[in-house]
Amino acid sequence: MSQALRLATSLSRAYPWVSSPFIVSAPMRVMSGPAMAVAVSRAGGLGFLGPSVKTQDMIKDLEEISALVHDLRKSSSAFSTLTCTLPVGVGFQLWSDDLETAISGIQKFKPCAAWLFAPRNGQTDYDNWSRRIRGASSQTQIWIQIGTLAEAKGLLKGSERPDVIVVQGADAGGHGRAKDGLGLITLLPEVIDALAGSQIPIFAAGGIADGRGAAAALCLGADGVVMGTRFLASEEARISRGYQNEIVRACDGAVATTRTLLYNHLRGTMGWPEEYSPRTIINRSFIEHQEGRSFDELKKDHDEALKAGDAGWGPEGRLATYAGASIGLIHGVKDAATIVHEVREGVLERFSAVGKSNL
């Protein structure tokens, strides 16, 4: 049996409800809530619950997911073959999440996957979290997100190898590698070559927002694709309307987005490991910061914008609008299931067209 077939078989066994190509919604902090995670999995993908502001809040979200899945099992054939695990994953930012609370939630609800990202102590943290999660729920698979070749190679040296590796390219939104990130089209093949023979499925993330990007990632060798920013413009996203409108409005990601810690500081979010910085849509806060306006003045206006509701976002707004460079490919808000189906159909159409061509 070829390695590709072995990987496909292992994925289908672990996630029997998933249709090909394998589409995943990223665990965006707070914004990926129960409704989105369940909707993506119900559509034949894999939905992830995002990290919470406090790890304890994850327990309430998992309770809601468990209730949603229970109702679906009673009212339809969705997830009817599953008995032991929740058909959703849960994400953790290791630098800030509490391990003991995370283990408590995983042991009780047994999500099918745990996504680990941004450790403060590198491979040591990955090994510790992976070992504890597997001890609490043997059927919960470990997904680890990396953004450099060195990180990928480091995973092979750890005592606890992941079940899935997510390779995030520099076009991604939210927090990614600040100085050593690389575009997905170059990073992904190099990581795949470096991990050849490991039999670990590799998923692509960063800049994928439609069937074209997904097909390209699969052609580069990915076993599946992850989308974050595209799902911010979904009906189920746990997001303010002003924020969502800006995702749809903005275009030309090279000009409209940048990586900066400014919005972290304005929001009072401190403590991220220094190798990470978020990509965000530019607005007045960043423009005036570049012009030399003092942080105290920017902070005052930012906090006032928090009271303005949806008007706090937009070109003249001041609030953080974390998003990827793919914003120019997103033209409207749709339900999560429709997004999954359209991306899947887009991939299949392109593969079919190639098969019928004379190339």
Side-chain angles (χ1 to χ4, degrees):
M1 184 184 294
S2 69
Q3 176 168 315
L5 185 55
R6 284 197 299 271
L7 295 182
T9 300
S10 68
L11 288 171
S12 64
R13 288 174 178 169
Y15 313 101
W17 67 90
V18 170
S19 300
S20 181
F22 201 131
I23 297 171
V24 178
S25 62
M28 296 173 287
R29 189 171 187 256
V30 178
M31 294 177 283
S32 298
M36 181 193 294
V38 172
V40 171
S41 290
R42 189 182 184 187
L46 174 57
F48 272 88
L49 175 69
S52 303
V53 174
K54 297 180 179 180
T55 314
Q56 183 62 40
D57 296 337
M58 170 202 67
I59 304 297
K60 182 179 179 181
D61 281 343
L62 286 174
E63 288 175 346
E64 183 177 341
I65 288 173
S66 182
L68 289 171
V69 171
H70 178 73
D71 289 343
L72 285 172
R73 284 171 172 163
K74 289 194 303 181
S75 62
S76 71
S77 60
F79 316 131
S80 59
T81 61
L82 302 178
T83 57
C84 298
T85 61
L86 283 181
V88 299
V90 58
F92 298 100
Q93 293 175 354
L94 305 196
W95 71 270
S96 61
D97 273 309
D98 178 71
L99 176 56
E100 299 305 323
T101 304
I103 294 302
S104 174
I106 289 173
Q107 189 170 38
K108 180 177 180 180
F109 295 100
K110 294 182 168 47
C112 64
W115 179 307
L116 310 182
F117 174 55
R120 189 170 299 285
N121 300 301
Q123 190 61 44
T124 299
D125 285 352
Y126 282 141
D127 286 341
N128 187 32
W129 275 72
S130 298
R131 187 180 306 111
R132 293 291 306 280
I133 290 170
R134 285 170 171 152
S137 174
S138 61
Q139 291 179 290
T140 298
Q141 291 210 324
I142 305 297
W143 292 49
I144 293 182
Q145 175 188 327
I146 55 92
T148 66
L149 180 64
E151 287 179 291
K153 290 181 177 179
L155 293 177
L156 296 184
K157 299 177 182 178
S159 61
E160 298 284 337
R161 287 194 177 188
D163 297 292
V164 173
I165 294 173
V166 179
V167 179
Q168 185 196 60
D171 286 347
H175 288 75
R177 303 296 295 200
K179 297 179 180 179
D180 54 1
L182 192 63
L184 188 65
I185 198 168
T186 302
L187 177 62
L188 179 62
E190 191 168 8
V191 169
I192 289 173
D193 288 348
L195 301 186
S198 69
Q199 300 187 21
I200 302 174
I202 296 175
F203 281 58
I208 301 171
D210 59 18
R212 294 170 296 181
L218 295 171
C219 286
L220 290 171
D223 296 290
V225 298
V226 178
M227 298 188 297
T229 302
R230 182 63 191 92
F231 283 108
L232 288 179
S234 70
E235 294 175 0
E236 295 86 354
R238 197 156 53 181
I239 185 174
S240 299
R241 179 60 66 179
Y243 191 150
Q244 196 167 62
N245 289 342
E246 186 65 354
I247 297 294
V248 175
R249 181 206 65 81
C251 63
D252 193 356
V255 174
T257 72
T258 189
R259 287 202 180 276
T260 176
L261 289 170
L262 172 65
Y263 295 92
N264 279 21
H265 296 162
L266 290 173
R267 297 170 70 238
T269 303
M270 304 295 185
W272 272 88
E274 63 180 9
E275 58 265 36
Y276 299 103
S277 179
R279 181 180 295 278
T280 182
I281 297 175
I282 293 170
N283 59 21
R284 293 306 304 172
S285 289
F286 182 76
I287 292 171
E288 293 178 5
H289 171 66
Q290 293 292 94
E291 293 172 347
R293 194 173 183 214
S294 73
F295 179 81
D296 288 343
E297 291 176 322
L298 292 173
K299 173 67 173 171
K300 179 180 178 181
D301 286 348
H302 170 273
D303 292 350
E304 283 298 315
L306 287 171
K307 306 173 185 177
D310 291 337
W313 286 274
E316 298 303 312
R318 296 186 174 276
L319 303 182
T321 316
Y322 300 128
S326 63
I327 49 173
L329 302 175
I330 301 170
H331 307 299
V333 176
K334 300 179 179 180
D335 64 85
T338 296
I339 293 171
V340 172
H341 292 316
E342 287 185 350
V343 172
R344 180 177 294 123
E345 290 167 3
V347 170
L348 297 177
E349 286 174 4
R350 278 158 181 78
F351 284 175
S352 177
V354 171
K356 294 177 181 177
S357 72
N358 294 320
L359 294 179

